[in-house]
Amino acid sequence: MKTEVINIIETELVQTFDELFKWFNIDRELLTYAPTNKGWSINKILEHISLTNHYLLMLISKGTRKALEKSKKEDYAERLTDYDLDWQRIRVIGQHNSFVWNRPGHMEPRGKMRVADIRRELESQLQQCRMLLLKMPHGEGALYKIMMSVNNLGKIDMYHYIYFLVQHAKRHITQMEGVEVEYNLGV
């Protein structure tokens, strides 16, 4: 259970962030292009991902500490026998426009963050996620759950939370690809 789930999360985490980092190498004009639907530019989308990650990682870090504390107080091996991450329920988060969600204002990009700062923040967040996974190698992340109101997910554990972060980034990669298509069509 544990190793397979953690390895899948780690692999998708790294692949997704590698994909995100490619967007920092695009032409400045494309990076700042505002789509005709009054949506965000790629620059703003990247800023939004970093802002959302910031707040998610606050919860994940706190939850990881609590999960590790719990793991020291109880024998949890039997609880993990049939554990599997609810992959499909979380993968929906990675599909752009798959559900309606009104994001909190503090996750709205302002467009004032420098591109280099956004990239550094995302690099730091990737390392933070990897360190959190390393701290929970034996299934400890399954021991503590926090409410997730997005798409009515309910209480999810720390592995689900990290996978949610990955899927959120994937959702916005699709959005950036749409902006790029519109830009290239010259709409």
Side-chain angles (χ1 to χ4, degrees), residues 41-58:
S41 65
I42 291 171
N43 187 48
K44 283 187 175 183
I45 295 168
L46 290 165
E47 181 182 351
H48 166 71
I49 294 167
S50 74
L51 287 169
T52 302
N53 289 354
H54 172 79
Y55 291 103
L56 287 172
L57 280 164
M58 287 171 58

Side-chain angles (χ1 to χ4, degrees), residues 47 63 113-114 141 171 174:
E47 181 182 351
M113 240 177 127
R114 291 184 30 223
R171 174 184 199 84
T174 303

Side-chain angles (χ1 to χ4, degrees), residues 22 44-45 61 63 68-71 89 104-105 116 124 149 153-154:
K22 290 176 187 173
K44 283 187 175 183
I45 295 168
S61 295
L68 291 171
E69 288 169 13
K70 243 181 146 175
S71 74
R89 224 169 58 126
S124 171
S149 58
L153 289 175

Side-chain angles (χ1 to χ4, degrees), residues 6 10 129-137:
I6 293 167
E10 167 88 12
C129 285
R130 294 181 86 186
M131 289 304 299
L132 290 166
L133 285 172
L134 283 173
K135 287 181 178 184
M136 304 179 290

Side-chain angles (χ1 to χ4, degrees), residues 10-32:
E10 167 88 12
T11 299
E12 284 196 45
L13 174 72
V14 171
Q15 289 171 346
T16 301
F17 272 77
D18 283 349
E19 224 174 297
L20 279 177
F21 295 138
K22 290 176 187 173
W23 289 96
F24 289 97
N25 300 322
I26 62 174
D27 180 68
R28 177 126 182 97
E29 194 173 310
L30 170 56
L31 188 69
T32 58

Side-chain angles (χ1 to χ4, degrees), residues 110-161:
R110 306 286 178 240
K112 296 186 193 277
M113 240 177 127
R114 291 184 30 223
V115 176
D117 293 337
I118 297 169
R119 183 180 178 113
R120 268 193 299 282
E121 183 67 21
L122 287 170
E123 288 168 348
S124 171
Q125 291 167 346
L126 170 60
Q127 293 313 312
Q128 194 175 352
C129 285
R130 294 181 86 186
M131 289 304 299
L132 290 166
L133 285 172
L134 283 173
K135 287 181 178 184
M136 304 179 290
H138 304 293
E140 298 91 339
L143 299 177
Y144 189 78
K145 294 182 177 185
I146 301 175
M147 188 64 158
M148 172 55 79
S149 58
V150 175
N151 204 29
N152 300 312
L153 289 175
K155 284 192 163 197
I156 59 174
D157 67 35
M158 296 307 97
Y159 299 123
H160 283 81
Y161 251 93

